[in-house]
């Protein structure tokens, strides 16, 4: 007999469809009630629902009132998977294609209903409900579990909260969504209130943006996945640590619970990251991202909150048995060792390790040094090591280490220079400026190092540069510890400044100074003496008078410097011509033709674009910190201030000396010379200097070249040659080729082509291939390279003339291409009768242009054959 179900239960699939045969799903069975199936296949009752729905007036299940038919329905067994379990009923996903999501009541479950879970494989019979007009599952028996649940627990964020059960449109809808990360990717997984781990109570369900933990359930048959055992994540407890490394946008924290560092990104710090510095105590949460632990929700703690180790108050003394090698990576975390005696009855000695962090500074330690230290025990792993290691002065007495004394002469941000005030001849350093780093101070002082401090140190050589001496193991001395006598000479010397002091004025740092150099003459020999910037504010080239101050020290070695400095004269503004312009710098040729001066575009007062080759400028000379001399405060000279007086006559002469523009060349004078021989007997030849600006083409001719020039005075200076032009036999030729700014000429009676530059063309003419020209051919004495100068166009090529155009013979390579084309073929020819245009948009315009209506593409585009 058919089982009836309470009408108050939810109804699904009220409008049913015809049940096809399993042998042919598209064919309706002949028997309106039961369709026969092959032997060995579980029989399932079939109902001709079209017949049921087509009957009018009677009950839609009137043809199911046959008791034998209903009995057949109850005896057939089917299989499926539990898809949903609700309060007192559930749904089964049947293996049959025509009936899915079968409703069943818990009263129809054979056995313990509490053992039934979502995804279990069950066997059941089918019955039909007359009132709801749907199939039901009865006699549900559990076979096996088809659901797998992940062993790993996941953590995610609720994006969409699952709807309450009474608001479900379908009991099978998982409307909630959870996002979680795995292997660097973000995934989304559904869930519903029945997947909650806390009694499936919607009131305890997590809200949106709540952090939850869950497992992933998978249906082995369908592959569907959803979140199960969903519950709110426990609020993690904070961990503590100390910031030990800060990079560009991330850093590392040394944890206080384990001996390990943990990564963090600056975005995880709650406040301004600029406030965070090395050594700050912080608290944070730990999350796993890409299978790595990272610190999140970082906040700052009061100083001294985090304690890594317990340090004994008793100080011990020992000797360094093993020093830490200066390598980037250490094989051992505690690479150093200190040997000391135990204070017990045995009196035996033992070694205790230490690391770089355990040294009270970054000064250099040697094996055998006597040090004081304390014993510390790490709270994380119980490791015992030495800490607060300090160097004792007794170590220098026992080791008889050579110690020197000096005075700090300049101070930078983290390093400085000192003037040696003791005899260091044994080390080969002499009386010189010595570099030192602040880390080498082995005694902690609250006062910073300033210029004039007296210090004691050891001279060593830089590990990166064995020839560079440096000061290490530095200790500050009391004022007046170094005894020395000063004597000032009565003789007054005169000299000029050849090097200015380098003064560092960086904002936020101390004002420091370097020594400058004054060059003077003693007994016909040039000598230099240092001076301090505090003694005088001098510039390069200043003429000064001074006295010599000699310092007599206890070691009988002295130092010398200039004192009582008086400024005699200062070089004013200089003038020169811009002779070279590069990408961001240039060179100035002085008016006196004695040198070329470098200048950077940042030193020009104005728009650099207004500078050209030959521009007259004024400037000051500067030489700072031992660098080369350069021009500063470069300004363009107005025409009213800078003048050039030219003498009209054109003179002829020969180049007797070329321009020496190489600063490293030791030939001496910079300017070139042109010698003019006198026609009158008894008169000597006259020489005129010239520079780069004097040349018409800015190319220096070789020695012995015959030139023509004029004589001029620039701003009242000595006579100089200008408008220098090479005088050579003029030859004729033709332009063979032009490539960019250069080209080649075919000169008469010359086998090789002659190189020329377009800048050497006179009268601003434009040359083309085949143009007839006149030029002067010269040969460079250094490179033996022949080139053409003073190129002048005399006749244009017929190819570019506006009058008669003669057809030149085609090159051979083009003749071959013409022969390869068959122009005498007797076959059909394609004749163009109208150029193609785009079709117009409207019909009238289309007819006026001759376009037919759009047809199939195969009938369009036929060519006319003549």
């Amino acid at each position: 007999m058919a089982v009836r179900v309470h009408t108050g239960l939810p109804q699904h699939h009220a409008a049913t469809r015809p049940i096809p045969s399993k042998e042919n799903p598209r064919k309706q069975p002949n028997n309106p009630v039961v369709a026969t199936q092959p032997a060995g296949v579980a029989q399932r009752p079939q109902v001709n629902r079209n017949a049921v729905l087509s009957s009018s007036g009677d009950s839609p299940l009137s043809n199911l009132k046959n008791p034998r038919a209903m009995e057949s329905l109850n005896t057939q067994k089917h299989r499926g998977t539990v898809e949903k379990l609700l309060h007192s009923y559930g749904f089964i996903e049947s293996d049959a294609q025509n009936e899915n999501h079968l409703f069943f009541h818990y009263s129809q479950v054979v056995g313990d209903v509490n053992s039934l879970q979502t995804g279990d494989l069950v066997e059941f019979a089918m019955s039909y409900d007359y009132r709801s007009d749907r199939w039901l599952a009865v006699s549900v028996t559990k076979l096996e579990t088809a659901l797998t649940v992940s062993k790993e627990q996941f953590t995610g964020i609720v994006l969409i909260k699952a709807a309450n059960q009474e608001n479900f449109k379908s009991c099978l809808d998982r409307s909630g969504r959870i996002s979680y990360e795995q292997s660097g990717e973000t995934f989304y997984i559904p869930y519903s209130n029945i997947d909650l781990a806390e009694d499936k109570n919607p009131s305890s369900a997590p809200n949106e943006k709540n952090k939850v933990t869950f497992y992933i359930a998978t249906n082995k048959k369908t592959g569907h996945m959803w979140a199960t055992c969903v519950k709110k994540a426990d609020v993690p407890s904070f961990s503590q640590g100390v910031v030990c490394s800060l990079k560009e946008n991330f850093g590392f924290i040394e944890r206080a619970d384990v001996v390990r560092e943990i990564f963090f990104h600056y975005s995880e710090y709650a406040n301004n990251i600029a406030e965070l510095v090395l050594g700050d105590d912080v608290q944070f949460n730990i999350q796993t991202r890409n299978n790595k632990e990272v610190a999140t929700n970082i906040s700052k703690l009061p100083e001294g909150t985090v304690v890594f180790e317990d340090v004994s108050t008793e100080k011990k003394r020992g000797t360094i048995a093993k020093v830490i090698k200066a390598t980037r990576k250490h094989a051992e975390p505690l690479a150093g060792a200190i040997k000391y005696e135990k204070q017990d009855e045995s009196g035996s000695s033992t070694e205790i390790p230490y690391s770089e962090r355990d040294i009270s500074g970054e000064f250099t330690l040697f094996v055998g040094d006597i040090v004081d230290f304390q014993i510390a025990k790490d709270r994380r792993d119980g490791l015992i090591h030495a800490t607060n290691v300090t160097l004792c002065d007794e170590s220098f007495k026992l080791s008889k280490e050579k110690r020197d004394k000096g005075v700090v002469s300049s101070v930078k941000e983290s390093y400085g220079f000192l003037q040696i005030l003791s005899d260091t001849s044994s080390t080969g350093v002499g009386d010189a400026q010595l570099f030192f780093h602040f880390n080498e101070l082995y005694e902690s002082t609250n006062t910073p190092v300033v210029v004039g401090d007296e210090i004691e140190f050891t001279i060593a050589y830089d590990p990166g540069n064995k020839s560079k001496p440096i000061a290490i193991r530095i200790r500050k001395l009391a004022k007046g510890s170094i005894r020395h006598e000063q004597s000032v000479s009565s003789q007054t010397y005169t000299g000029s400044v050849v090097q200015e002091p380098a003064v560092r004025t960086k904002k936020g740092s101390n004002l420091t100074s370097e020594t400058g150099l004054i060059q003077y003459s003693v007994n016909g020999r040039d000598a230099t003496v240092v001076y301090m910037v505090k003694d005088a504010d001098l510039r390069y080239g200043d003429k000064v008078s001074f006295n010599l101050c000699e310092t007599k020290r206890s070691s009988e070695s002295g130092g010398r410097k200039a004192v009582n400095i008086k400024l005699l004269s200062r070089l004013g503004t200089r003038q020169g011509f811009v002779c070279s312009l590069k990408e961001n710098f240039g060179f100035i040729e002085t008016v006196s033709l004695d040198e070329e001066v470098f200048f950077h575009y940042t030193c020009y007062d104005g728009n650099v674009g207004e500078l050209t080759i030959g521009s007259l400028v004024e400037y000051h000379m500067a030489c700072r910190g031992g660098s080369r001399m350069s021009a500063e405060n470069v300004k363009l000279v107005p025409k009213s201030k800078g003048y050039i007086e030219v003498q009209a006559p054109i003179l002829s002469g020969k180049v007797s000396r070329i321009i020496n523009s190489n600063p490293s060349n030791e030939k001496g004078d910079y300017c070139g010379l042109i010698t003019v021989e006198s026609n009158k007997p008894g008169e000597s030849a006259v020489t005129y200097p010239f520079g780069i600006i004097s040349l018409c083409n800015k190319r220096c001719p070789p020695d012995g070249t015959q030139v023509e020039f004029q004589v001029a005075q620039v701003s009242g200076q000595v006579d100089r040659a200008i408008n220098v032009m090479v005088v050579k036999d003029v030859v004729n030729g033709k332009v063979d080729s032009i490539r960019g700014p250069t080209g080649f000429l075919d000169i008469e009676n010359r086998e090789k082509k002659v190189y020329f530059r377009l800048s050497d063309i006179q009268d601003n003419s434009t040359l083309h291939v085949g143009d007839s020209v006149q030029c002067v051919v010269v040969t460079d004495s250094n490179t033996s390279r022949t080139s053409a100068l003073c190129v002048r166009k005399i006749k244009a090529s017929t190819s570019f003339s506006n009058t008669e155009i003669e057809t030149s013979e085609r090159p051979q390579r083009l003749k071959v291409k013409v022969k390869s084309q068959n122009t005498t073929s007797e076959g059909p020819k394609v004749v163009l009768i109208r150029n193609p245009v785009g079709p117009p948009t409207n019909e009238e315009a289309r007819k006026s242009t001759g376009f037919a209506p759009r047809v199939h593409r195969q009938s369009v585009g036929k060519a006319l054959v003549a």
Side-chain angles (χ1 to χ4, degrees):
M1 189 165 176
V3 178
R4 295 179 178 270
V5 184
H6 298 289
T7 58
L9 298 178
Q11 300 181 6
H12 292 273
H13 306 288
T16 58
R17 62 183 185 276
I19 303 176
S21 172
K22 288 191 176 182
E23 293 180 354
N24 188 354
R26 296 182 179 272
K27 184 178 179 181
Q28 298 296 331
N30 296 327
N31 189 342
V33 179
V34 180
T36 60
Q37 298 183 3
V41 180
Q43 297 294 322
R44 174 175 179 173
Q46 303 293 333
V47 178
N48 189 342
R49 298 191 180 185
N50 288 335
V52 173
L53 296 176
S54 62
S55 60
S56 59
D58 298 335
S59 171
L61 302 177
S62 59
N63 54 354
L64 295 178
K65 294 181 180 180
N66 188 348
R68 292 185 178 181
M70 298 305 299
E71 183 180 355
S72 176
L73 291 174
N74 289 329
T75 57
Q76 301 298 325
K77 294 296 184 180
H78 305 275
R79 291 190 176 187
T81 305
V82 176
E83 188 176 19
K84 205 76 166 179
L85 292 174
L86 299 179
H87 187 266
S88 60
Y89 58 92
F91 292 89
I92 297 174
E93 183 180 2
S94 176
D95 293 344
Q97 298 180 358
N98 54 352
E99 286 295 342
N100 294 327
H101 313 309
L102 292 174
F103 173 87
F104 75 97
H105 195 269
Y106 285 174
S107 61
Q108 296 297 325
V109 178
V110 179
D112 185 10
V113 70
N114 294 325
S115 64
L116 201 62
Q117 296 182 2
T118 303
D120 288 349
L121 183 64
V122 295
E123 187 178 59
F124 57 92
M126 295 182 61
S127 179
Y128 200 85
D129 184 13
Y130 289 94
R131 297 184 179 181
S132 62
D133 189 20
R134 64 177 178 177
W135 290 100
L136 308 176
V138 297
S139 303
V140 180
T141 304
K142 178 179 177 181
L143 296 180
E144 62 177 338
T145 300
L147 177 70
T148 59
V149 180
S150 63
K151 296 181 180 180
E152 180 184 0
Q153 189 180 42
F154 295 87
T155 303
I157 304 295
V158 176
L159 295 181
I160 302 176
K161 182 180 178 181
N164 294 331
Q165 183 175 342
E166 54 270 21
N167 294 333
F168 283 175
K169 293 182 180 180
S170 172
C171 296
L172 307 178
D173 179 27
R174 284 188 168 91
S175 59
R177 290 294 183 273
I178 299 174
S179 68
Y180 67 99
E181 291 185 2
Q182 187 177 19
S183 301
E185 298 184 22
T186 302
F187 297 91
Y188 304 89
I189 192 168
Y191 82 102
S192 64
N193 284 333
I194 64 170
D195 298 315
L196 298 177
E198 300 176 0
D199 301 329
K200 300 182 176 56
N201 184 9
S203 61
S204 61
N207 299 320
E208 292 182 358
K209 297 184 180 181
N210 283 163
K211 190 174 183 180
V212 295
T213 59
F214 61 93
Y215 295 89
I216 296 179
T218 306
N219 190 327
K220 293 189 295 184
K221 178 181 177 182
T222 63
H224 295 165
M225 295 189 301
W226 65 91
T228 185
C229 299
V230 180
K231 64 178 180 179
K232 292 182 180 179
D234 297 333
V235 178
S237 59
F238 281 99
S239 301
Q240 294 182 348
V242 175
V243 178
C244 60
S245 177
L246 291 174
K247 304 297 182 182
E248 184 177 358
N249 53 10
F250 64 92
F252 291 90
I253 300 173
E254 184 177 1
R255 295 171 57 175
D257 52 347
V258 293
V259 185
R260 190 185 309 163
E261 294 180 359
I262 187 170
F263 170 90
F264 76 94
H265 193 271
Y266 285 174
S267 59
E268 296 294 341
Y269 184 66
N271 300 324
N272 185 10
I273 192 63
E275 302 174 355
L276 201 64
V277 296
L278 294 176
D280 282 350
D281 296 345
V282 292
Q283 66 177 6
F284 53 90
N285 297 131
I286 299 176
Q287 287 187 4
T288 302
R289 297 176 181 174
N290 299 334
N291 298 325
K292 293 182 179 179
E293 290 184 342
V294 298
T296 61
N297 301 327
I298 304 171
S299 58
K300 202 171 180 180
L301 295 175
E303 185 179 356
T305 303
V306 180
V307 179
F308 291 105
E309 54 196 14
D310 298 321
V311 182
S312 65
T313 57
E314 181 183 1
K315 281 193 174 183
K316 296 184 177 295
R317 177 163 294 190
T319 57
I320 299 294
K322 182 180 178 182
V323 296
I324 301 174
K325 296 182 179 180
T327 56
R328 294 185 178 181
K329 295 183 178 180
H330 305 298
E332 303 176 5
L334 301 173
I338 299 174
K339 187 177 182 180
Y340 73 103
E341 294 183 357
K342 291 184 176 180
Q343 296 180 356
D344 55 8
E345 297 179 357
S346 62
S348 59
S349 61
T350 184
E351 290 186 358
I352 185 171
Y354 72 94
S355 65
E356 289 183 347
R357 298 181 181 179
D358 297 320
I359 304 175
S360 298
E362 299 181 19
F363 51 86
T364 304
L365 287 176
F366 296 141
V367 175
D369 283 344
I370 300 177
V371 294
D372 290 335
F373 64 94
Q374 294 171 286
I375 297 178
K377 182 178 181 181
D378 199 312
R379 292 183 176 182
R380 298 168 291 182
D381 57 1
L383 181 65
I384 297 177
H385 61 97
T387 188
N388 298 331
V389 180
T390 57
L391 182 62
C392 300
D393 293 336
E394 185 181 351
S395 177
F396 302 114
K397 298 179 182 179
L398 296 179
S399 62
K400 297 181 180 181
E401 182 177 319
K402 171 68 176 175
R403 300 286 285 173
D404 294 283
K405 297 179 181 180
V407 177
V408 177
S409 59
S410 65
V411 175
K412 309 298 182 181
E413 290 183 353
S414 59
Y415 63 94
F417 292 89
L418 56 90
Q419 185 74 34
I420 303 175
L421 299 180
S422 59
D423 188 5
T424 56
S425 58
S426 60
T427 60
V429 176
D431 193 8
Q433 298 282 318
L434 202 62
F435 171 87
F436 72 95
H437 202 280
F438 291 168
N439 294 336
E440 288 293 339
L441 288 166
Y442 67 85
E443 285 187 352
S444 59
T445 57
N446 297 327
T447 58
V449 178
V450 295
V451 176
D453 282 351
E454 299 176 3
I455 58 176
E456 186 182 49
F457 56 91
T458 300
I459 297 178
Y461 289 92
D462 191 349
N465 186 3
K466 298 297 183 181
S467 61
K468 178 183 177 182
I470 59 175
I472 62 173
R473 299 154 72 96
I474 300 171
R475 181 172 69 94
K476 290 180 67 174
L477 301 176
K479 208 69 173 177
S481 299
I482 301 177
R483 294 175 298 172
H484 55 270
E485 299 177 359
Q486 292 183 347
S487 62
V488 179
S489 64
S490 58
Q491 182 180 357
T492 302
Y493 297 88
T494 303
S496 59
V497 178
V498 294
Q499 178 178 320
E500 296 182 33
V503 181
R504 185 179 184 86
T505 58
K506 184 175 180 180
K507 187 176 181 179
S509 61
N510 295 330
L511 178 64
T512 61
S513 62
E514 289 277 359
T515 56
L517 288 179
I518 299 176
Q519 186 176 14
Y520 66 104
S521 179
V522 179
N523 298 328
R525 293 183 179 182
D526 291 337
T528 58
V529 65
V530 299
Y531 74 94
M532 304 296 293
V533 67
K534 63 181 181 179
D535 295 332
D537 183 14
L538 303 177
R539 295 182 182 177
Y540 174 81
D542 287 351
K543 301 295 183 181
V544 295
S545 63
F546 59 92
N547 300 109
L548 289 179
C549 176
E550 295 190 9
T551 302
K552 297 181 180 180
R553 302 158 191 143
S554 56
S555 56
E556 299 299 333
S557 66
R560 180 179 296 178
K561 67 176 182 178
V563 295
N564 302 329
I565 303 172
K566 296 181 180 180
L567 179 63
L568 301 179
S569 64
R570 172 164 292 175
L571 293 177
T573 302
R574 296 188 177 188
Q575 289 187 347
F577 294 94
V578 177
C579 62
S580 178
L581 292 174
K582 304 297 182 180
E583 184 177 0
N584 52 12
F585 63 92
F587 289 90
I588 300 173
E589 184 181 77
T590 60
V591 173
S592 57
L593 294 178
D594 52 0
E595 62 179 337
E596 285 184 3
V597 181
F598 169 88
F599 77 98
H600 198 273
Y601 288 169
T602 57
C603 297
Y604 179 71
D605 187 8
N607 184 12
V608 181
E610 63 187 7
L611 288 179
T612 59
I613 302 296
S615 296
L616 182 62
V617 295
E618 61 182 12
Y619 58 93
H620 292 93
M621 292 293 294
C623 179
R624 299 188 180 276
S627 62
R628 62 179 178 177
M629 294 181 294
S630 62
E632 293 185 353
N633 302 325
V634 182
K635 298 179 181 179
L636 193 63
V637 177
K639 294 183 179 180
S640 59
K641 189 175 180 181
Y643 57 91
I644 302 176
E645 295 180 356
V646 181
Q647 299 177 8
I650 297 178
L651 304 179
S652 297
K654 287 185 179 181
V655 176
S656 58
R657 188 178 71 193
I658 63 173
I659 299 173
N660 176 23
S661 60
N662 187 2
S664 61
N665 198 330
E666 298 179 356
K667 291 184 179 181
D669 296 332
Y670 161 79
C671 65
L673 294 178
I674 299 176
T675 302
V676 179
E677 299 291 342
S678 176
N679 296 329
K680 298 179 180 181
E683 291 185 3
S684 59
V686 181
T687 58
Y688 295 94
F690 71 95
I692 295 295
I693 304 301
S694 303
L695 305 174
C696 291
N697 57 3
K698 306 302 182 288
R699 294 174 63 188
C700 183
D703 288 340
T705 303
Q706 189 71 28
V707 295
E708 291 182 349
F709 63 96
Q710 292 176 289
V711 179
Q713 283 189 349
V714 181
S715 299
Q717 297 290 334
V718 296
D719 292 345
R720 60 187 293 172
I722 64 170
N723 300 329
V724 179
M725 295 181 61
V726 177
V727 178
K728 285 282 186 178
D729 294 335
V730 178
V731 294
N732 296 328
K734 288 187 177 182
V735 179
D736 179 74
S737 63
I738 296 177
R739 296 180 180 178
T742 62
F744 287 89
L745 300 178
D746 189 2
I747 305 298
E748 295 178 355
N749 302 327
R750 281 183 177 267
E751 297 180 358
K752 295 183 178 181
K753 310 297 182 185
V754 178
Y755 168 86
F756 78 99
R757 295 181 180 178
L758 297 183
S759 58
D760 293 330
I761 301 174
Q762 295 182 348
D763 302 330
N764 295 326
S765 301
T766 302
L767 293 183
H768 300 281
V769 176
D771 289 350
S772 298
V773 296
Q774 288 183 345
C775 62
V776 176
V777 179
V778 296
T779 302
D780 193 335
S781 58
N782 295 328
T783 62
S784 300
R785 184 177 181 180
T786 303
S787 60
L789 301 177
C790 304
V791 181
R792 184 169 61 90
K793 182 178 179 180
I794 59 176
K795 184 179 179 180
S797 173
T798 57
S799 300
F800 295 92
S801 176
N802 294 329
T803 58
E804 299 180 358
I805 300 178
E806 298 179 0
T807 304
S808 60
E809 187 179 359
R810 299 176 68 87
Q812 186 66 23
R813 64 181 184 276
L814 296 182
K815 292 181 180 180
V816 177
K817 292 185 178 181
V818 173
K819 290 179 181 179
S820 64
Q821 298 176 0
N822 187 7
T823 59
T824 61
S825 175
E826 297 179 356
K829 299 179 180 179
V830 179
V831 180
L832 180 66
I833 63 175
R834 184 184 66 220
N835 289 326
V837 295
T841 56
N842 53 13
E843 191 66 26
E844 294 181 359
R846 181 177 300 174
K847 292 180 180 181
S848 62
T849 55
F851 279 93
R854 187 179 297 275
V855 294
H856 196 270
R857 64 180 297 178
Q858 293 181 353
S859 62
V860 180
K862 295 182 179 179
L864 297 178
V865 180

